[in-house]
Amino acid sequence: MGACSVKELPGIPAIHGIKTAVSISSSRNPDAYTLPDGSGQLAQRAINDIRLSDAEWKALLSRNEYKILRKKASEPRHSTKWPKGFEDFYQPGVYFCSCCFAAGAETPVYTSAMKFESNHGWPSFWTNVRGNVYEQRDMHRWRSELLCTRCNGHLGHVFRGEGLFISHGHPTDERHCVNSTCLVFAPAEGQELVKPTYNGLVF
């Protein structure tokens, strides 16, 4: 497969550093993905077809990717505004799971059509790509954790009952609070891939 590297988007600084054997065959068109017209479309369970040892994940992922995706850490609030991350990034395209991507697989988890500004301090989405994200209670049992169905990578948390669907006009009452580090962005117009540059503390 052809290698992908990060190049400059029009009007957007280049983010360097991706070297991968993944070729992009999933659609980059956000309109190609189903949007729910009522309830959300989180999967009920994991597929878990991408399985690596902890040592293999640690070797493949960056320090922060490993801590967040495999050990369930989080970025600080408002730490990943562009170009450090995707909190306030609204280019059209598709977001892949960065954990799957490091393992050589492309798993679209969100699209720009699902993204909105919530002012909560992390990238926010009102739904996910059907079948590729599921939820479970986190270790504290009071929050619902979002995970990639294919690699079980931790993405963030889902919140309900905030009433944001009323002010934003979404058909679901969900806010998917996702760490930028968990995402690789594939622009709709076919430019090269984009990863966040934030490398500060995570907790």
Side-chain angles (χ1 to χ4, degrees):
M1 295 182 180
C4 298
S5 60
V6 176
K7 296 183 180 179
E8 190 170 352
L9 291 174
I12 300 177
I15 298 179
H16 303 285
I18 296 178
K19 294 292 181 184
T20 177
V22 175
S23 65
I24 303 303
S25 58
S26 297
S27 176
R28 293 185 176 199
N29 178 5
D31 296 329
Y33 296 87
T34 302
L35 297 176
D37 57 7
S39 60
Q41 49 191 25
L42 285 161
Q44 297 298 310
R45 61 185 64 86
I47 300 169
N48 201 23
D49 62 337
I50 298 175
R51 301 183 186 183
L52 297 176
S53 69
D54 186 67
E56 287 171 324
W57 282 125
K58 198 167 189 176
L60 276 177
L61 301 171
S62 71
R63 179 196 62 182
N64 278 357
E65 285 173 337
Y66 176 76
K67 287 182 177 179
I68 294 173
L69 285 152
R70 307 316 307 177
K71 298 302 181 181
K72 306 182 189 300
S74 294
E75 300 152 349
R77 184 189 299 270
H78 294 305
S79 63
T80 59
K81 291 183 180 293
W82 180 259
K84 291 184 177 181
F86 300 123
E87 180 189 345
D88 56 349
F89 181 82
Y90 294 99
Q91 294 288 320
V94 174
Y95 295 88
F96 295 112
C97 168
S98 61
C99 199
C100 289
F101 198 82
E106 54 183 73
T107 304
V109 286
Y110 295 99
T111 76
S112 56
M114 302 167 181
K115 197 170 190 298
F116 74 104
E117 178 56 70
S118 71
N119 296 310
H120 280 78
W122 291 269
S124 295
F125 302 87
W126 59 270
T127 192
N128 56 279
V129 172
R130 185 183 298 277
N132 289 350
V133 181
Y134 76 104
E135 68 173 312
Q136 68 178 18
R137 287 292 180 183
D138 69 9
M139 61 183 295
H140 303 293
R141 305 301 298 170
W142 60 274
R143 292 191 301 181
S144 288
E145 177 186 6
L146 294 167
L147 300 106
C148 172
T149 59
R150 298 195 63 196
C151 71
N152 268 321
H154 171 81
L155 302 175
H157 294 87
V158 59
F159 299 93
R160 298 180 176 90
E162 297 175 323
L164 293 174
F165 74 103
I166 298 173
S167 56
H168 290 275
H170 303 148
T172 72
D173 188 20
E174 295 179 354
R175 174 173 62 88
H176 294 217
C177 183
V178 180
N179 292 283
S180 288
T181 302
C182 302
L183 304 173
V184 174
F185 181 71
E189 295 303 318
Q191 298 97 342
E192 298 297 330
L193 305 178
V194 181
K195 289 189 80 173
T197 62
Y198 178 76
N199 62 359
L201 294 176
V202 298
F203 56 90

